[in-house]
Amino acid sequence: MNRKITCVMCPVGCRITVEMNGDEPVISGNRCTRGRQYVIDELIKPKRVLTTSVKVEDGDLPLVSVKTSGPIEKKIIMDKMKEIKKKTVGAPVKIGEIIIENIDGNGVDLLATRKVKKIHK
Amino acid sequence: MHFLHGFLLFLEVKMKILVIGGGIVGSLLTKELSKYENIDVTLVEANYDLGAGVTKANSAILHGGYDDEPSTLRAKLCARGNKMYDDLVDELGVPVQRTGSLVVSEGNDGDKKKIIELYKRGIANGVSGMKIVEGEELRKIEPYLSPVFKYGLYCSSAGITEPWIVAINSGRLAESNGAEIMLGDRVVGGLVRNKRAVSAVLNSGKKIQADIFINCAGLYYEEIAKYFDVEVEKVLLRKGEYLLLDKAAKQFVNGVIFPLPTKMGKGKLILPTIDGGVFLGPTSEDLKSFDPEDLATTRNGLEEILKSSDELVPGISKFNWIIKSFAGLRPETEGKDFIIKRDEEISNFITVGGIRSPGLTAAPAISEYVINEILNGQMNIKLIKKEKIVERIPAKIRVREESFERISELIEKDELYGRIICQCNQVSEREIVDAVHSGARTIESVKLRTRAGFGRCQGGFCTWKVAKIISRETGIELEELIMNNENSYLLEGKVR
Amino acid sequence: MMKGINTDVLVIGGGAGGMAAALSAAREKSDVILLERENSTGGVLNQCIHNGFGLHFYKEELTGPEFADKLFNEMTLDRVNIISESYVSEVDVENKTVRVLSPDGAYEIYAKAIVIATGARERPFGALMIPGDRPSGIYTAGLAQRFVNLENRLPGKRALILGSGDIGLIMARRLVLEGMKVEAVVERMPFPGGLLRNIVQCLEDYNIPLYLSHTVTKTVGRGRLEKVEVSEVDENYNPIPGTEKIYDVDTLILSAGLIPQVEDISDSLQLDRVNKGYAVSNSCETNIDGIYAAGNNVAVFDLVDYVAAEGWVAGRHAALKSKGGENNTEKYPVIRGKNVSILVPSYIDFNESLRLYLRISKPIEHGRVILKELNIEKKFVDGVPSEMIQMVLNKKKMELIREKGGLFVEVVEDE
Ligand SMILES: Cc1cc2nc3c(=O)[nH]c(=O)nc-3n(C[C@H](O)[C@H](O)[C@H](O)COP(=O)(O)OP(=O)(O)OC[C@H]3O[C@@H](n4cnc5c(N)ncnc54)[C@H](O)[C@@H]3O)c2cc1C
Ligand SMILES: Cc1cc2nc3c(=O)[nH]c(=O)nc-3n(C[C@H](O)[C@H](O)[C@H](O)COP(=O)(O)OP(=O)(O)OC[C@H]3O[C@@H](n4cnc5c(N)ncnc54)[C@H](O)[C@@H]3O)c2cc1C
Ligand code: SF4
């Protein structure tokens, strides 16, 4: 079996070829090692970085953008969105601040990717 | 006339007039009526702003007035209306550019005959600034005109305007002089008693009693007439589709360029718009059924426009300049003329209908006609001018049109002039806030009043800013905002 | 009173391109002013909350706001004078005088060199000549992105996306995550307009169908959008009768391309006919001495890293120029050969290495970029127009261009 998988880990988007040599996948076409890990995950349990927003109170913006600190399993994303939609944080928010700790149960956190200043009403 | 006899004895009692429909015709008329002591005028308009019906979607040309047969009202009122626009510039601060118009033909004998006929008709109608032009002279006027055109009629008094601003500013001036303007409410019924119109019923449930009713409802004039048992000529709707081109196309066009007129109308033209773009169109297509909200463009229509405009000015449509397409509807009647008269049966009901092209041009003269010929004349009401009126409304400041030095002074007094919201048309926050404070509640109202969102990005950059300003200034939540009509909500709700 | 300010280098636009330019000019010890129309810098980065930015420029993977924040912090450290809420209304390129409108006043800035980095705008719905009604609910992808990611508002309930550009793909995923139904993405061309990785992670991951060679042929709705009609198109992009399909959607999102924002500022700057942006050299100079341009107003780049890299070059040369240190009289043309659409730069000078960016005009499975004058070839596989090909050549390799009087760039298709 010969499968082509587009790596989504970075915008280069390498088209990586996986050939099965018995049980052993032979991987080629990746321009970096992250691509290799991506393909292996993709075959067993696909993972993605999730980016979205969380509601902020008393901020100069209504939302703070967030990302997972690493890829999380694709199949839990919709579930995690439900959790994220319920979450509210108070301003100020710093970039890199943990918004939800260990969101996937495997050590990946949800981090703020934008700073939000506090406004005094 | 019977009801008036008793009435005239009590001159100190004001006569109440209800104008139905705030297009350019109804708005200008309301503005004029608001200048009289013994009149109390109310204008009711179904849309959320004035001038949002036919007045919004047309060519915006101030026609010279040579197209129509001298015997018609159209001919009489068009030439007169054209001249009256000079006063409107001063009174309402509306933009008018006398760009001139040019009817072009290939110049064979038949064509020449038609052009000369137009010229003669123009003379009979009292049109000024006409001239027959040939060859080089034609090319001097429109250098990019296709070389197949060799003979034409130039008319320097023709020009362009911004029709909805005429309506909106008329409304503002009318209000300053005591008129009541009701927006977003529609006449849905009428009460007639003893051959007299008594009151109009509005969608909101309100009832408005009046002594005189004036039907200026444009495409809906039959419906209004029916509510008051008035019989009128049937209107047919004829669609006109347009393409709007980027400012970059303006270098190829100086004024209004017409092909020779045909039975279906004045043909598909090319002309500059008041804010510096270019219009191509309109098409001319009869609607199969009466559907006054059918403003859909069609594939055929748009393709036809590209083809015909390319015949007039080769290359104009080939570039990547198209930024918008839209359509308007013409109220055609069999008689073809404007219908402006007091009803013979319901004698306190005045019809102003079938106002097709050149309705914009004629509109100020239509008001004059209604007042002089019908109210003063046929109905013999002695209208008395108010001693003191607000004579003009201050022209709106548009940052784009001011000198840099002047803008600098403006910002010093008011920083909102320095915050540019629409970058394509350089519209400042002050202009938007003013529009909202003077009544704009929808994205389209702000657009029509300020030109924000009219430019080449078509609101891509500024819609969210305009929405936020309306929301901030009025307290309307973003998700409650509408584009133009009731169902045209912008947003569904909050993300979080 | 009208003010006037002097500076060495003036940067217009505070997106990725402008910020990088301002920073690199400041690193050359020039006085730098950066003017930004909005109330903060960042440009489109602010609303691109997804990740995939910065891998080349910062060697780490960032989201748009993070990338913007990093550049902003660096600019602050290097004393770039950032003036926001400042709209540039006019540039006198000959005299390097810029007119600015801002809440603080209308004033002029006199610069020794200028970098223009005004980005791109989205192609509006009206430009597509789609027949039908004109209801609300039709948004360009960037505007929808703005509402969702910054203004906390959802555009509707059910959407169709027209155009498969990256912003459209990113928005498809974004809307689904936020609870909207995305019926499909339709694309007029026979190949997608966005990056393959976005097809995978935005569409395939969420089972959103992509219909190539399809377009919207009618919009229906008197108030809000109610339906759109989609048809298949033939090779000439004409709809094929009988293939119409109706979608009940209240939202139509357009991702029909970006257009370099080059109008209004000046009429004297030369444009590239195909890129539709400023024609620049490899040191990012326009046809006017001392006026530079970088970013999406030169050509629409697909990576912020490229934009930042070009901004960096533009800023450095602007700084050198402001000190009287550089003279670019010698310029050679870069000429498009077959299968090449977007091509940057348009000219080559010898003040800088050559970074060549190109897009192929159709998908090519196996191909080569050929630089005949330099005897250089670059092989590629699975090439698509949506992914730019970049080539970097040092000054030594460039020497031959001088001899040959220009550079011809073509792409050949191999079996
Ligand atoms: C394609 C096209 C091109 C044209 N080009 C030109 C041109 O270049 N030059 C020119 O001079 N003329 C032109 N015209 C003609 C001109 O546009 C019209 O004559 C003019 O706008 C008519 O104005 P109006 O006030 O009668 O109608 P409208 O602007 O339609 O106003 C009628 C108003 O009545 C309101 N209304 C309807 N029913 C009710 C109700 N029940 N209750 C309350 N309000 C109601 C409507 O909402 C509407 O706002 C053109 C027309 C078309 C269609
Ligand atoms: C939706 C979207 C998704 C993207 N996704 C990715 C991705 O995943 N990975 C990636 O690497 N790249 C991505 N890109 C590409 C990359 O982000 C952009 O190409 C890059 O940010 C553009 O930078 P710029 O500086 O050229 O333009 P912009 O960011 O548009 O900046 C231009 C700035 O100039 C200002 N300006 C304009 N005119 C004036 C004026 N007259 N006066 C003052 N200021 C003015 C504007 O306000 C704006 O801030 C994406 C782009 C978009 C649009
Ligand atoms: S393999 Fe590495 S370089 Fe290639 S796309 Fe994946 S992460 Fe990027």
Side-chain angles (χ1 to χ4, degrees), chain A residues 37-56:
Chain A
Q37 187 57 45
Y38 173 76
V39 169
I40 292 170
D41 282 344
E42 201 64 10
L43 293 174
I44 309 161
K45 53 175 167 193
K47 289 177 167 179
R48 298 286 183 266
V49 169
L50 171 64
T51 57
T52 180
S53 315
V54 166
K55 184 170 182 173
V56 183

Short mmCIF file of all heavy atoms in Angstrom, two decimals, chain A residues 37-56:
data_model
loop_
_atom_site.label_atom_id
_atom_site.label_comp_id
_atom_site.label_asym_id
_atom_site.label_seq_id
_atom_site.Cartn_x
_atom_site.Cartn_y
_atom_site.Cartn_z
N GLN A 37 6.35 12.37 12.53
CA GLN A 37 5.44 12.13 13.66
C GLN A 37 3.99 12.35 13.24
O GLN A 37 3.11 11.59 13.61
CB GLN A 37 5.81 13.08 14.82
CG GLN A 37 5.06 12.81 16.11
CD GLN A 37 5.27 11.36 16.60
OE1 GLN A 37 6.40 10.85 16.61
NE2 GLN A 37 4.18 10.70 16.95
N TYR A 38 3.80 13.36 12.42
CA TYR A 38 2.44 13.65 11.95
C TYR A 38 1.84 12.46 11.21
O TYR A 38 0.71 12.05 11.45
CB TYR A 38 2.44 14.89 11.04
CG TYR A 38 1.10 15.15 10.40
CD1 TYR A 38 0.05 15.69 11.12
CD2 TYR A 38 0.88 14.80 9.06
CE1 TYR A 38 -1.17 15.89 10.54
CE2 TYR A 38 -0.36 15.01 8.47
CZ TYR A 38 -1.38 15.55 9.21
OH TYR A 38 -2.60 15.75 8.63
N VAL A 39 2.63 11.90 10.32
CA VAL A 39 2.14 10.78 9.50
C VAL A 39 1.83 9.58 10.39
O VAL A 39 0.80 8.91 10.21
CB VAL A 39 3.17 10.43 8.41
CG1 VAL A 39 2.80 9.13 7.74
CG2 VAL A 39 3.21 11.55 7.39
N ILE A 40 2.71 9.32 11.34
CA ILE A 40 2.48 8.18 12.23
C ILE A 40 1.18 8.39 13.02
O ILE A 40 0.32 7.52 13.10
CB ILE A 40 3.70 7.96 13.16
CG1 ILE A 40 4.87 7.49 12.30
CG2 ILE A 40 3.38 6.95 14.24
CD1 ILE A 40 6.20 7.46 13.02
N ASP A 41 1.02 9.61 13.56
CA ASP A 41 -0.22 9.93 14.26
C ASP A 41 -1.43 9.78 13.34
O ASP A 41 -2.47 9.26 13.74
CB ASP A 41 -0.19 11.38 14.78
CG ASP A 41 0.66 11.50 16.03
OD1 ASP A 41 0.96 10.47 16.66
OD2 ASP A 41 1.04 12.64 16.37
N GLU A 42 -1.26 10.27 12.12
CA GLU A 42 -2.37 10.27 11.16
C GLU A 42 -2.84 8.84 10.89
O GLU A 42 -4.02 8.59 10.67
CB GLU A 42 -1.90 10.96 9.87
CG GLU A 42 -2.98 11.49 8.99
CD GLU A 42 -3.83 12.61 9.61
OE1 GLU A 42 -3.47 13.12 10.68
OE2 GLU A 42 -4.87 12.93 9.02
N LEU A 43 -1.90 7.89 10.91
CA LEU A 43 -2.27 6.50 10.64
C LEU A 43 -2.96 5.88 11.85
O LEU A 43 -3.86 5.06 11.70
CB LEU A 43 -1.01 5.69 10.30
CG LEU A 43 -0.33 6.07 8.97
CD1 LEU A 43 0.97 5.31 8.79
CD2 LEU A 43 -1.26 5.83 7.79
N ILE A 44 -2.55 6.29 13.05
CA ILE A 44 -3.10 5.65 14.25
C ILE A 44 -4.18 6.52 14.90
O ILE A 44 -5.34 6.15 14.96
CB ILE A 44 -1.99 5.33 15.28
CG1 ILE A 44 -0.87 4.56 14.56
CG2 ILE A 44 -2.56 4.50 16.43
CD1 ILE A 44 0.44 4.58 15.29
N LYS A 45 -3.78 7.68 15.41
CA LYS A 45 -4.81 8.60 15.93
C LYS A 45 -4.47 10.03 15.54
O LYS A 45 -3.63 10.69 16.16
CB LYS A 45 -4.99 8.45 17.44
CG LYS A 45 -3.73 8.57 18.24
CD LYS A 45 -4.07 8.52 19.73
CE LYS A 45 -2.81 8.32 20.51
NZ LYS A 45 -2.95 7.97 21.88
N PRO A 46 -5.18 10.50 14.52
CA PRO A 46 -4.90 11.83 13.97
C PRO A 46 -5.04 12.93 15.03
O PRO A 46 -5.94 12.87 15.87
CB PRO A 46 -5.96 12.01 12.89
CG PRO A 46 -6.51 10.67 12.63
CD PRO A 46 -6.30 9.83 13.85
N LYS A 47 -4.14 13.88 14.99
CA LYS A 47 -4.14 14.97 15.96
C LYS A 47 -4.08 16.32 15.25
O LYS A 47 -3.54 16.42 14.15
CB LYS A 47 -2.90 14.85 16.86
CG LYS A 47 -2.94 13.71 17.84
CD LYS A 47 -1.63 13.68 18.58
CE LYS A 47 -1.68 12.77 19.80
NZ LYS A 47 -0.37 12.77 20.47
N ARG A 48 -4.64 17.33 15.88
CA ARG A 48 -4.60 18.68 15.32
C ARG A 48 -4.39 19.70 16.44
O ARG A 48 -4.87 19.50 17.56
CB ARG A 48 -5.94 19.04 14.66
CG ARG A 48 -6.34 18.19 13.49
CD ARG A 48 -5.52 18.50 12.25
NE ARG A 48 -5.97 17.72 11.13
CZ ARG A 48 -5.44 16.55 10.76
NH1 ARG A 48 -4.42 16.03 11.44
NH2 ARG A 48 -5.91 15.90 9.72
N VAL A 49 -3.77 20.81 16.06
CA VAL A 49 -3.77 21.95 16.97
C VAL A 49 -5.13 22.63 16.82
O VAL A 49 -5.61 22.82 15.71
CB VAL A 49 -2.63 22.93 16.60
CG1 VAL A 49 -2.78 24.25 17.37
CG2 VAL A 49 -1.28 22.31 16.89
N LEU A 50 -5.76 22.97 17.93
CA LEU A 50 -7.05 23.64 17.88
C LEU A 50 -6.86 25.12 18.19
O LEU A 50 -6.20 25.47 19.17
CB LEU A 50 -8.01 23.01 18.90
CG LEU A 50 -9.33 23.74 19.14
CD1 LEU A 50 -10.20 23.75 17.88
CD2 LEU A 50 -10.11 23.09 20.29
N THR A 51 -7.40 25.97 17.33
CA THR A 51 -7.37 27.42 17.63
C THR A 51 -8.80 27.92 17.62
O THR A 51 -9.59 27.57 16.76
CB THR A 51 -6.56 28.22 16.59
OG1 THR A 51 -7.11 27.99 15.29
CG2 THR A 51 -5.10 27.83 16.58
N THR A 52 -9.13 28.72 18.61
CA THR A 52 -10.47 29.32 18.67
C THR A 52 -10.41 30.52 19.64
O THR A 52 -9.33 31.08 19.80
CB THR A 52 -11.54 28.27 19.08
OG1 THR A 52 -12.81 28.89 19.14
CG2 THR A 52 -11.23 27.62 20.43
N SER A 53 -11.55 30.89 20.22
CA SER A 53 -11.56 32.05 21.12
C SER A 53 -12.28 31.72 22.42
O SER A 53 -13.12 30.83 22.46
CB SER A 53 -12.30 33.23 20.49
OG SER A 53 -11.92 33.42 19.17
N VAL A 54 -11.96 32.50 23.44
CA VAL A 54 -12.62 32.35 24.74
C VAL A 54 -13.14 33.73 25.15
O VAL A 54 -12.51 34.76 24.88
CB VAL A 54 -11.62 31.79 25.79
CG1 VAL A 54 -12.17 31.96 27.21
CG2 VAL A 54 -11.34 30.32 25.50
N LYS A 55 -14.28 33.71 25.77
CA LYS A 55 -14.92 34.97 26.18
C LYS A 55 -14.13 35.67 27.29
O LYS A 55 -13.62 35.03 28.20
CB LYS A 55 -16.32 34.67 26.68
CG LYS A 55 -17.07 35.90 27.03
CD LYS A 55 -18.52 35.60 27.28
CE LYS A 55 -19.20 36.92 27.57
NZ LYS A 55 -20.62 36.79 27.68
N VAL A 56 -14.01 36.99 27.18
CA VAL A 56 -13.30 37.76 28.18
C VAL A 56 -14.26 38.76 28.83
O VAL A 56 -15.09 39.37 28.15
CB VAL A 56 -12.15 38.57 27.53
CG1 VAL A 56 -11.37 39.33 28.60
CG2 VAL A 56 -11.22 37.67 26.75
#
